Amino acid sequence: GESVGLHLPTLSVQEGDNSIINCAYSNSASDYFIWYKQESGKGPQFIIDIRSNMDKRQGQRVTVLLNKTVKHLSLQIAATQPGDSAVYFCAENREDTGRRALTFGSGTRLQVQP
Amino acid sequence: DADVTQTPRNRITKTGKRIMLECSQTKGHDRMYWYRQDPGLGLQLIYYSFDVKDINKGEISDGYSVSRQAQAKFSLSLESAIPNQTALYFCATSDERGETQYFGPGTRLLVL
């Protein structure tokens, strides 16, 4: 069936290191992808997005890479800080019977060790 | 994000009770959504609305109903609450392109 999944449920990194969070998707019709950050007790917060006509998009300390050949998405966080500790979700977005549908993965918990 | 607010933030209720969760937004978006999140899992879509009076079922609509009487407000009701509806509930909004969604702070619901 259709799914958006994550390779690792928990990722632990040292402060200052780079973090890479991965996501696999199975629907080749998806044309827009979003990464969300969810801190404890809060709602998901938009981080960065990428369209299917791009391979890479950079923001402030974050980079999203899209490999459509293997249906893989990754979020790279440079110089990881304690404030980056959260659960990160990828989401895929596509046209579905004339309307846009957003499907979320189960999330990866990022733990930043001081 | 204060643009999307949810009330109450926490709620404890008993099995069989009817309860309503409220969502308000000041972003001027036409589209609104209700999601459920269980511990350690992602978000599941319950219902969504693309305009006032427009209601669409999501992945897990059974046991829930919604009302969209105004652009800025979207309410979720549990007709007869059951313990497995214990979860975090999030409201979200998006513009007419329906791509990026903006989430409220969530309502933590416990059904005893």
Side-chain angles (χ1 to χ4, degrees), chain A residues 8 11 19 22-23 31 43 49 55 62 66 82 91 94-95 97 110:
Chain A
L8 296 173
L11 176 65
S19 302
N22 296 303
C23 177
D31 58 3
D49 58 0
D55 298 322
V62 294
L66 176 62
R94 66 187 183 278
E95 284 285 341
T97 60
L110 177 64

Side-chain angles (χ1 to χ4, degrees), chain A residues 32 34 36 38 41-46 49 51 89 93 99-100 102 104-107, chain B residues 9 31 35 37 40-43 48 50 54 56 90 97-101 103-105:
Chain A
Y32 180 64
I34 310 163
Y36 285 92
Q38 186 176 19
K42 297 183 180 180
Q45 181 181 19
F46 172 89
D49 58 0
R51 297 191 183 279
F89 294 95
N93 192 298
R99 292 179 166 178
R100 285 229 153 240
L102 192 66
F104 288 85
S106 58
Chain B
R9 293 296 313 279
R31 302 185 176 193
Y35 289 91
Q37 185 178 37
L41 297 179
L43 294 147
Y48 60 100
F50 283 2
D54 177 68
N56 305 280
F90 289 101
R97 293 178 300 175
E99 294 175 334
T100 304
Q101 295 183 15
F103 288 81

Side-chain angles (χ1 to χ4, degrees), chain A residues 11 13-21 37 47-48 56-64 74-85 88 110 112:
Chain A
L11 176 65
V13 300
Q14 293 292 319
E15 182 178 356
D17 287 351
N18 296 333
S19 302
I20 300 176
I21 301 171
K37 172 185 180 183
I47 303 174
I48 192 167
K56 179 180 180 179
R57 189 160 189 225
Q58 288 184 294
Q60 186 177 15
R61 283 201 307 118
V62 294
T63 300
V64 55
S74 69
L75 176 70
Q76 300 179 0
I77 304 174
T80 312
Q81 302 169 0
D84 294 326
S85 292
Y88 290 81
L110 177 64
V112 181

Side-chain angles (χ1 to χ4, degrees), chain B residues 12-78:
Chain B
I12 300 174
T13 191
K14 295 182 178 179
T15 297
K17 294 291 187 181
R18 182 179 188 275
I19 67 164
M20 180 181 291
L21 309 183
E22 305 272 10
C23 177
S24 295
Q25 54 112 348
T26 58
K27 298 186 77 69
H29 288 165
D30 287 328
R31 302 185 176 193
M32 298 186 74
Y33 311 79
W34 273 105
Y35 289 91
R36 166 182 173 152
Q37 185 178 37
D38 293 285
L41 297 179
L43 294 147
Q44 294 176 284
L45 183 63
I46 306 173
Y47 271 96
Y48 60 100
S49 168
F50 283 2
D51 204 347
V52 176
K53 303 293 185 179
D54 177 68
I55 302 295
N56 305 280
K57 291 184 177 181
E59 306 167 67
I60 55 164
S61 59
D62 287 348
Y64 301 95
S65 63
V66 291
S67 175
R68 183 88 185 274
Q69 298 295 328
Q71 187 205 39
K73 297 184 184 297
F74 193 34
S75 60
L76 174 72
S77 294
L78 282 67

